[in-house]
Amino acid sequence: MELVQRPRRLRTTPVLRKMVRETRMDPSSLIYPMFVKEGITGKNEIPSMPGQYHYGLDMLPKALEEVRDAGVSSVMLFGIPKTKDDWGSGAWAADGIIQQALELAKKEMPSLFYISDTCMCEYTSHGHCGIIENNQVDNDKTLDSLARIAVSQAQAGADMVAPSDMMDGRILAVRSKLDKKGFTTTPILAYSAKYASSFYEPFREAAQSAPQFGDRKNYQMDYHNKREALRELELDEEEGADILMIKPALSYLDVISEARKNTNHLLAAYSVSGEYAMIKAAAKAGFIKEDHLICETAVSIYRAGADLVVSYYAKEIAKFMKEGRIG
Ligand code: PBG
């Protein structure tokens, strides 16, 4: 048979298959999210996210060592305060849980890079990502608080801040205030296209941040929309974001790939709690092989165009990358 085009020629051996991989990644592009909880000691497993923990401050240094030993160089820190109020004041308190965690982490494990989630939902009694006026999150009132939170995190040692609230204008508000306080070199990782997603459900249990009334649909994005995501990315670029993030990842690979074509900025993708929980649950039931799925899903996010990936599987992904199984 006269067949000139035979794509299978490049699939004949493992060495060759590895040589012709189109998607190349390495562990330096991974970010591992961690939850630090005020008022506990040790670590408690999060029921909706087996293998992920609430860490007490006493356990944090050891947990960070494990991250470093796994070859992951960056973590995203979330704080869970002991008390909450309507204004989320714990989020910017100088002795708040995230500030304490950042100070401790920078002291005990200065070689890692620390990103702080800049949001209010873990700190507000109503669970929303901002200040409530007339039963709605008030955009402009929330901006001041977000800027204040970002500054307090930078003061506590955050290497990069990551506003995740989806208020309009927050990147500019955060940038201006950081600059005014002398943090001109602290970069902003913007949760630019953050969809109102049910994939966050396990996180909300983990962070104790479920909204007590209504939902987040009037600030987070509608999952029917893709062009709107590009607009959000553009706005965040204009407002001074250094890295743009799309979230969740797996159901939004089309958005990542479209974004890749439309921006020169660095792109991050957040493979969220529900993505993790689904793989865990299916593996536990014996329906899939966890390690295979970790590899395949991670590569798909990079292949779609993400430069950086935030994942609860970061330590495992780093291992598979180091082994050459992926990457
Ligand atoms: C806070 C925030 C959320 C997540 C990251 N930052 C939850 C939400 O918006 O409800 C979700 C992360 C995950 O599901 O892993 N605004």
Side-chain angles (χ1 to χ4, degrees):
M1 163 142 196
E2 217 180 289
L3 198 52
V4 182
Q5 299 289 346
R6 289 184 188 270
R8 287 185 57 190
R9 277 186 210 117
L10 294 181
R11 294 178 203 144
T12 50
T13 72
V15 176
L16 178 57
R17 286 196 292 274
K18 220 160 140 181
M19 185 175 111
V20 300
R21 278 177 183 169
E22 297 174 28
T23 306
R24 301 286 180 174
M25 318 151 299
D26 86 71
S28 61
S29 60
L30 289 165
I31 300 167
Y32 181 57
M34 295 175 74
F35 302 95
V36 186
K37 190 166 175 177
E38 193 171 28
I40 67 162
T41 53
K43 61 175 186 179
N44 300 330
E45 190 166 47
I46 299 164
S48 55
M49 302 173 73
Q52 305 301 316
Y53 299 87
H54 284 151
Y55 293 100
L57 283 169
D58 62 323
M59 260 304 283
L60 187 61
K62 178 149 185 301
L64 293 171
E65 244 170 63
E66 285 168 21
V67 175
R68 182 203 54 197
D69 293 348
V72 175
S73 51
S74 176
V75 299
M76 169 103 93
L77 287 175
F78 294 91
I80 306 156
K82 221 163 31 180
T83 55
K84 306 179 187 232
D85 61 28
D86 281 356
W87 305 273
S89 61
W92 65 74
D95 61 350
I97 181 63
I98 190 84
Q99 288 77 6
Q100 287 188 56
L102 284 163
E103 276 163 24
L104 181 69
K106 289 289 284 189
K107 190 163 132 254
E108 297 292 324
M109 184 61 70
S111 60
L112 292 180
F113 188 86
Y114 296 100
I115 306 170
S116 58
D117 185 74
T118 305
C119 193
M120 301 175 68
C121 61
E122 298 103 301
Y123 300 89
T124 52
S125 36
H126 44 72
H128 278 287
C129 304
I131 308 285
I132 301 291
E133 279 296 329
N134 303 322
N135 263 355
Q136 288 230 352
V137 176
D138 186 291
N139 194 85
D140 299 12
K141 283 204 172 111
T142 302
L143 297 182
D144 280 343
S145 304
L146 289 166
R148 195 166 168 187
I149 297 167
V151 168
S152 78
Q153 294 174 339
Q155 281 165 343
D159 296 307
M160 178 148 78
V161 295
S164 66
D165 52 283
M166 287 304 277
M167 297 303 118
D168 293 331
R170 90 266 203 228
I171 300 305
L172 185 59
V174 167
R175 185 72 272 157
S176 315
K177 188 92 168 227
L178 283 174
D179 290 353
K180 210 174 283 164
K181 298 284 182 182
F183 294 102
T184 49
T185 57
T186 303
I188 300 177
L189 164 61
Y191 286 70
S192 302
K194 178 174 178 180
Y195 286 86
S197 169
S198 280
F199 284 103
Y200 308 150
E201 217 74 14
F203 172 96
R204 289 181 189 164
E205 182 188 318
Q208 292 155 1
S209 67
Q212 300 303 301
F213 65 90
D215 52 38
R216 301 209 203 288
K217 289 188 177 149
N218 68 33
Y219 43 104
Q220 298 181 351
M221 284 182 52
D222 182 341
Y223 55 69
H224 293 80
N225 299 347
K226 180 153 69 175
R227 279 176 283 135
E228 188 188 357
L230 301 179
R231 194 161 162 247
E232 287 280 9
L233 295 168
E234 259 169 45
L235 289 172
D236 285 359
E237 270 187 36
E238 285 165 16
E239 290 179 28
D242 299 281
I243 301 175
L244 308 172
M245 187 149 76
I246 290 157
K247 177 182 172 192
L250 286 183
S251 282
Y252 299 85
L253 295 177
D254 59 327
V255 180
I256 298 171
S257 114
E258 200 66 23
R260 180 69 293 155
K261 292 184 214 142
N262 280 273
T263 181
N264 290 321
H265 264 54
L266 220 62
L267 276 182
Y270 194 145
S271 184
V272 301
S273 55
E275 300 173 29
Y276 176 84
M278 286 199 307
I279 296 177
K280 273 281 169 203
K284 187 158 176 248
F287 297 154
I288 53 113
K289 294 194 184 83
E290 187 177 19
D291 56 334
H292 289 227
L293 262 269
I294 294 172
C295 290
E296 189 171 339
T297 51
V299 170
S300 74
I301 299 166
Y302 285 97
R303 193 187 59 232
D307 301 297
L308 306 174
V309 172
V310 185
S311 171
Y312 299 97
Y313 276 126
K315 291 187 272 188
E316 289 81 356
I317 298 170
K319 176 170 159 269
F320 298 135
M321 285 175 173
K322 282 193 286 182
E323 290 170 0
R325 193 164 152 179
I326 55 172

